[in-house]
Amino acid sequence: MTDSEMLTEARAILLRARDELGEIRSRVPGLEAATRWRSRAADEFADALGEWTRSLRRIDDELDRWEAALAAAQARAAGSTGASG
């Protein structure tokens, strides 16, 4: 497998991870709505959900950085292949 093929595969894996993360994040509003009742357990759940949501946002940001890095590496690999071919 060439470097370019590995980069293409890595980007495909990253995009699948992004899709899964998006699916999880799309469910957060429903979970937040479910915590609107009043009890100590509900408050603790809401706090944990807030932390979880912030973690998902950080993961999403990290996926953005990886996607940019892989895209740049793939462009460099394509450029070096074109220059030497």
Side-chain angles (χ1 to χ4, degrees), residues 21 25 50-65:
L21 178 61
R25 290 186 74 187
E51 290 175 24
W52 182 59
T53 302
R54 287 185 294 277
S55 292
L56 291 174
R57 192 173 303 117
R58 285 190 299 272
I59 292 168
D60 200 24
D61 292 343
E62 190 63 28
L63 288 173
D64 284 342
R65 286 189 286 278

Side-chain angles (χ1 to χ4, degrees), residues 8-19:
T8 299
E9 180 63 20
R11 289 184 77 191
I13 291 167
L14 185 67
L15 290 174
R16 287 192 298 272
R18 178 176 296 287
D19 288 345

